[in-house]
Amino acid sequence: MTIRRTHLLLLLAALAAAGLSACGRRGPLELPPEIQAQGAALKAQQAAALAKNAPKPAPGQAAPESPPPPIPGTIGNRPPEQYPFPLDPLL
């Protein structure tokens, strides 16, 4: 009887481990916050330099379109307070 119980407990533990192994965020791992902040600052500097050096359209011509905004929830555009992950405390 104890062998059956041990087998059942091992099976349940294996099922729980398999179930939790699939949990996680989709996509590549995120960089540490310090690196992300440096990257955001560098992108802002590059954007400011491009805006400063961009040629102005001639009178009567349409201004060039700005790039579309980033998709919310993608890497680099995911505020933690808006997209919490419930298993983060386990990590």
Side-chain angles (χ1 to χ4, degrees):
M1 176 142 159
T2 57
I3 294 175
R4 249 189 204 169
R5 189 174 185 185
T6 304
H7 286 301
L8 180 63
L9 289 176
L10 287 174
L11 177 66
L12 290 175
L15 287 174
L20 288 176
S21 69
C23 291
R25 293 184 176 152
R26 195 172 118 197
L29 295 176
E30 295 179 2
L31 296 173
E34 302 85 27
I35 305 293
Q36 286 182 357
Q38 289 173 358
L42 182 62
K43 286 181 184 177
Q45 288 176 352
Q46 289 174 347
L50 285 175
K52 185 177 179 182
N53 297 334
K56 295 181 180 177
Q61 290 184 349
E65 295 181 19
S66 63
I71 300 170
T74 55
I75 300 295
N77 193 24
R78 184 185 299 157
E81 53 276 352
Q82 289 183 359
Y83 298 95
F85 185 65
L87 294 180
D88 276 348
L90 293 177
L91 300 175

